[in-house]
Amino acid sequence: MDDSPLIAKLKALVGNDPVFLGKARVISTGGIPMPLDALLAEIDDTVLERTLVFDIDGLTLRAAVAGRRLRGVLDVTDQPVNGFIGQVLSQDDPDMRHRISALLADLCNNAEQITVKSLPAENFGDPSDAGISAAALTQDTREMDPPSSSPMGQFLAAIGTDVTAFLYVVKGEIVRSKGDTTAVDLAWCHQSDPLRNSQKAIFPQDKDPTLTCLAPALRDGQAIAIARIGDEIGVLSYPSDGFGHILAAWHETTR
């Protein structure tokens, strides 16, 4: 039937108009979509056994992928074959999972362009070795400490022990999270845009950066604040009596 989910998905795929460089398909350029999200989405879209070859700003990452899981990183440009590189990955090993997530996040950090080629699978491990799901890798990378390469990343890293939860949003996409984000999710979805519009109405010159506390405090003694620097946003919850440390870190970051 024309309105079946399969037909709808096929139409969406056809309408994406992929861009190719030679035989490689461009999956992220200029940070859109987020480089790490684009790479993990390719893993999540791969069901059959394949070797995915990613070019990340000239660096090559070859990965064994099947069943929407990363079975192993075959090799990475200029990276020695040790630890987990060249090894079969296991989702049951938290340390291995966190280390591979950290590697992918580091490789994709600030990447300007990523391309991918899907090649036949190479002999690697045992077909029964499931690897690590793309969903688990996505969750791991979101729970990492935010990268400190940007002012917002530096701010969130500085207040890591002072907050109970945060969302780190870049260009409208959540790239990191910490703790129980139920309250900050609601603030992000329902209060961030109205707050921004109100600030623009009051300050037509678009004051930036801004750190705004939302009142009243939550029932459990937590408070919510929204920080904005350029196209990066931090939505955070913290003990209502602990704003002093957060404000000090904010002034240190934005002075």
Side-chain angles (χ1 to χ4, degrees):
M1 299 200 35
D2 287 344
D3 60 350
S4 71
L6 177 59
I7 294 298
K9 185 169 184 178
L10 289 173
K11 287 181 178 179
L13 290 172
V14 171
N16 281 342
D17 296 328
V19 177
F20 288 85
L21 292 176
K23 296 182 179 180
R25 177 166 48 88
V26 178
I27 61 173
S28 176
T29 184
I32 302 174
M34 294 295 294
L36 181 58
D37 290 348
L39 186 148
L40 294 176
E42 288 300 312
I43 295 173
D44 196 45
D45 286 343
T46 304
V47 177
L48 301 178
E49 279 196 273
R50 303 294 289 174
T51 298
L52 298 185
V53 181
F54 296 96
D55 184 292
I56 307 170
D57 289 344
L59 177 150
T60 300
L61 164 69
R62 295 195 313 123
V65 179
R68 304 175 67 184
R69 291 171 175 259
L70 177 62
R71 299 187 61 241
V73 174
L74 300 175
D75 53 61
V76 183
T77 302
D78 297 331
Q79 293 281 342
V81 179
N82 58 35
F84 50 79
I85 297 180
Q87 306 298 316
V88 176
L89 300 177
S90 171
Q91 188 155 307
D92 296 328
D93 185 338
D95 180 63
M96 175 182 284
R97 196 178 69 240
H98 295 330
R99 289 168 64 200
I100 191 66
S101 297
L103 172 69
L104 297 178
D106 183 59
L107 293 176
C108 292
N109 188 30
N110 295 323
E112 285 297 316
Q113 181 171 274
I114 300 180
T115 66
V116 65
K117 289 188 288 187
S118 180
L119 304 179
E122 301 180 16
N123 291 328
F124 181 74
D126 188 283
S128 63
D129 298 318
I132 303 175
S133 70
L137 291 170
T138 299
Q139 183 63 31
D140 276 358
T141 55
R142 285 195 172 181
E143 291 178 349
M144 291 177 189
D145 290 334
S148 59
S149 56
S150 70
M152 182 60 73
Q154 293 171 14
F155 170 63
L156 292 176
I159 62 173
T161 59
D162 297 312
V163 300
T164 53
F166 70 67
L167 298 178
Y168 180 19
V169 184
V170 179
K171 297 180 180 178
E173 298 291 334
I174 298 173
V175 298
R176 293 284 191 279
S177 64
K178 172 189 174 179
D180 181 355
T181 60
T182 303
V184 291
D185 274 325
L186 290 173
W188 163 241
C189 293
H190 300 295
Q191 295 181 269
S192 179
D193 286 343
L195 175 63
R196 183 62 166 168
N197 292 335
S198 298
Q199 289 173 334
K200 285 184 176 180
I202 299 172
F203 303 107
Q205 299 303 315
D206 191 19
K207 298 292 184 180
D208 189 45
T210 58
L211 173 64
T212 307
C213 300
L214 305 182
L218 304 179
R219 290 181 179 178
D220 58 358
Q222 300 285 306
I224 298 284
I226 298 179
R228 184 186 300 270
I229 303 176
D231 58 7
E232 298 191 346
I233 297 172
V235 187
L236 47 120
S237 63
Y238 56 93
S240 55
D241 59 355
F243 186 66
H245 291 131
I246 293 171
L247 186 60
W250 179 254
H251 287 318
E252 182 67 23
T253 303
T254 59
R255 64 180 179 180

